[in-house]
Amino acid sequence: MDATKPGRPSISVPVAGLIGVLGVLAALGAGHLVAGVVGPSASPYLAVGSTAVDLTPAPVKDFAIRTFGTADKLVLLGGMAVVLLLLAVLAGVLSRRGALPGSAFAVVLGLVGVAAVLARPDVGRLGVFAPVVSLVVGVAVFRLLHAKALAAAGADEPSPTGGPSRRSFLVASGAVAASAGIAGGAGQLLAGSADVEGSRRAVGDLTPATRAPAVPAGADFAAEGTPTFLTQNRDFYRVDTALTVPRLRAEDWSLRVHGMVDRELTLRYADLRDRDLVERTITMTCVSNEVGGPYVSTANFVGVPLRDVLMEAGVRPGADQLFSTSVDGWTAGTPTDVVLAEDTGALLALGMNGEPLPVEHGFPVRMVVPGQFGYVSATKWVVDLELTTFAARRPYWIERGWGVRGPIKTQSRVDSPIGLSTVGPGRTVVTGTAYAQPRGIAKVEVRVDGGPWQDARLSAEVNDSTWRMWRVELDLAPGGHTVECRATDKTGFTQPQERLDPVPDGATGWHSIFFTKK
């Protein structure tokens, strides 16, 4: 600490920056602690992050998903942390002689948190207490530490061991740092206190009254480079907007079915659990996939036919949209005619691959609608279904420029060899995946270096709502080669060559890879 002008003490730059950081940490810790009581989404840090997700332009979100995959939320939160710390240091440095700049920064930060919490659709009225407490604590801690640091800087005869003012500042700083950590940790524990895993275990076996046909031998070419036909739950792709996974117990869950219906329904988990459950093998696909993208997976889902629930409610004429809402406020709009078609096979899913839904994949209940991209159909942690019109309600992604109806396009990709790899001598086996839910795959063709197309061998078919693997053996000369693939679905449509970005309703184009033959 220094005194640059006689009679006017000034805090040193490192100490001033530290005060700014400690003020922000104290504010965030206090807000997180209160949010652990009133609701995890009320945490100012998470609320601001969720608002940032909502306000991010679609192309930026698409880039984040392509680049970081399921780690995109961690990247966002980490980036926010870095920006906050830099601003906190700046606010502290600007407050070397007076506490006003840092106090103003704490107030602005608190007000941003209040605005973000008030804007969250999944936060109740009590949630505003979290950012308010965060604001008060942030200002109070900053001013307290600033006063102690300024007193230490103005001490007449500082000694090498530090005088009372300096010791007081160091003790206070240590106490603030420890308290912020304890408060944040306690808030995290409180937020996760709901025993969701215990609730999952208590569900027990979800034995379907109607089982899906067994997956036949030869349904994949996993030994030669394709995915296994069924995707293990831990490997199933996950793309959503939730910064933190909602933790909702089955015994606390309910679903409201309302809007343009003859009778409103409220269903509890036990109501679905006690019905005749059905099992269906379904491939799900994300619209964010680039050509050849990884966001496609297959599972055996167990649940209640969504059509049956809607028929019980009685869908009124003119209701062309099923508007679904997640417990965290995310919304999707599914074409009603798709859901009500008898052959669609849409589910309110309770189970996935022989166990209750994993928490990150929607426990207790999610929607699964074959043939529709997830952004219009696959609402996880679903708690509300409203029969309405596309003119009356605009769901989350439609507000951000994506297409209203999201039918899955006919696609194929090369899985093996890996692009830019080197393969050994002898015949080269090329394998891949194709999908066109719910139309089914009729043919996959492959060509090398722009030559003639040749048919690939298809794997054993499971159903039209699942992917299909393919393989081909090629005699290739040593050197570099480019392999392309294209699929034709059972309607006779062949995927087009023209490359289009995922926005607004899914990418198109032929996937190709380049590799070297020894």
Side-chain angles (χ1 to χ4, degrees):
M1 303 180 189
D2 61 29
T4 57
K5 290 185 179 181
R8 189 176 184 185
S10 174
I11 304 170
S12 69
V13 171
V15 171
L18 175 63
I19 293 171
V21 170
L22 289 175
V24 167
L25 292 179
L28 294 179
H32 206 62
L33 175 60
V34 176
V37 177
V38 300
S41 297
S43 170
Y45 188 62
L46 296 179
V48 171
S50 295
T51 302
V53 170
D54 292 347
L55 296 178
T56 300
V60 177
K61 288 184 182 180
D62 201 40
F63 168 79
I65 292 171
R66 291 197 312 269
T67 306
F68 304 112
T70 56
D72 59 339
K73 314 300 188 306
L74 291 177
V75 172
L76 170 64
L77 292 175
M80 284 175 53
V82 171
V83 171
L84 268 178
L85 291 178
L86 291 175
L87 290 175
V89 169
L90 178 61
V93 171
L94 293 176
S95 304
R96 293 179 65 197
R97 290 187 174 86
L100 182 59
S103 299
F105 172 70
V107 170
V108 170
L109 193 65
L111 292 177
V112 169
V114 170
V117 168
L118 291 176
R120 298 306 305 157
D122 55 331
V123 178
R125 294 180 180 178
L126 292 178
V128 76
F129 281 106
V132 168
V133 169
S134 180
L135 187 158
V136 172
V137 169
V139 173
V141 167
F142 181 84
R143 295 188 70 87
L144 171 67
L145 293 179
H146 189 275
K148 289 184 177 295
L150 206 57
D156 292 332
E157 296 181 357
S159 67
T161 58
S165 295
R166 181 169 296 184
R167 283 197 297 272
S168 176
F169 171 76
L170 293 176
V171 170
S173 297
V176 167
S179 298
I182 292 171
Q188 192 66 27
L189 288 175
L190 289 170
S193 60
D195 188 7
V196 178
E197 286 302 330
S199 180
R200 284 187 72 240
R201 289 192 297 271
V203 169
D205 293 333
L206 293 168
T207 304
T210 304
R211 291 189 175 276
V215 175
D220 61 46
F221 300 116
E224 297 175 304
T226 71
T228 57
F229 183 82
L230 290 177
T231 310
Q232 295 187 48
N233 289 351
R234 67 172 181 268
D235 299 325
F236 205 98
Y237 81 88
R238 178 193 163 204
V239 176
D240 54 52
T241 63
L243 282 183
T244 57
V245 176
R247 299 180 60 81
L248 181 62
R249 301 189 310 162
E251 48 268 46
D252 299 328
W253 177 87
S254 65
L255 176 68
R256 182 185 177 208
V257 184
H258 62 110
M260 297 173 66
V261 296
D262 295 331
R263 63 196 68 83
E264 185 172 316
L265 302 178
T266 299
L267 301 172
R268 308 286 297 181
Y269 190 85
D271 297 328
L272 298 185
R273 181 76 173 78
D274 292 340
R275 295 180 179 226
D276 286 341
L277 302 178
V278 300
E279 181 181 51
R280 288 176 177 151
T281 308
I282 298 170
T283 294
M284 298 181 66
T285 310
C286 181
V287 73
S288 297
N289 263 337
E290 295 282 348
V291 173
Y295 301 123
V296 54
S297 303
T298 300
N300 281 328
F301 290 98
V302 172
V304 172
L306 180 53
R307 180 180 186 274
D308 292 355
V309 172
L310 298 183
M311 293 297 285
E312 287 178 25
V315 179
R316 293 178 181 172
D320 60 6
Q321 177 182 208
L322 178 62
F323 190 88
S324 54
T325 304
S326 167
V327 72
D328 67 351
W330 186 84
T331 57
T334 313
T336 306
D337 58 345
V338 172
V339 178
L340 292 181
E342 293 188 31
D343 58 351
T344 296
L347 291 177
L348 287 173
L350 286 68
M352 181 176 177
N353 287 334
E355 62 180 80
L357 287 171
V359 176
E360 65 272 18
H361 287 294
F363 180 82
V365 180
R366 71 170 299 167
M367 284 174 55
V368 179
V369 183
Q372 300 289 298
F373 282 124
Y375 81 102
V376 299
S377 70
T379 305
K380 293 182 281 193
W381 316 288
V382 63
V383 293
D384 189 276
L385 297 176
E386 179 185 359
L387 275 303
T388 181
T389 66
F390 283 108
R393 299 294 303 271
R394 290 176 63 80
Y396 185 92
W397 284 112
I398 310 310
E399 287 281 2
R400 289 155 178 81
W402 291 75
V404 172
R405 298 176 74 96
I408 292 172
K409 297 184 176 181
T410 302
Q411 289 283 0
S412 61
R413 73 181 186 205
V414 180
D415 290 317
S416 177
I418 298 172
L420 303 181
S421 64
T422 300
V423 301
R427 291 177 68 81
T428 300
V429 176
V430 178
T431 63
T433 306
Y435 50 90
Q437 310 97 291
R439 301 172 300 280
I441 293 295
K443 179 172 66 172
V444 172
E445 299 168 284
V446 175
R447 72 175 180 180
V448 181
D449 302 328
W453 291 100
Q454 54 184 302
D455 289 348
R457 173 190 162 195
L458 296 179
S459 64
E461 186 175 41
V462 175
N463 64 58
D464 290 341
S465 288
T466 59
W467 56 10
R468 203 164 182 188
M469 315 306 180
W470 55 266
R471 73 184 297 276
V472 65
E473 292 188 19
L474 303 172
D475 285 318
L476 301 175
H481 297 282
T482 297
V483 170
E484 298 171 285
C485 63
R486 67 182 184 187
T488 299
D489 63 36
K490 290 185 177 180
T491 70
F493 176 82
T494 299
Q495 67 180 105
Q497 180 180 13
E498 182 185 8
R499 287 242 177 179
L500 296 177
D501 291 333
V503 181
D505 57 3
T508 65
W510 297 340
H511 187 220
S512 65
I513 58 125
F514 176 84
F515 63 94
T516 301
K517 174 80 172 182
K518 285 186 178 179

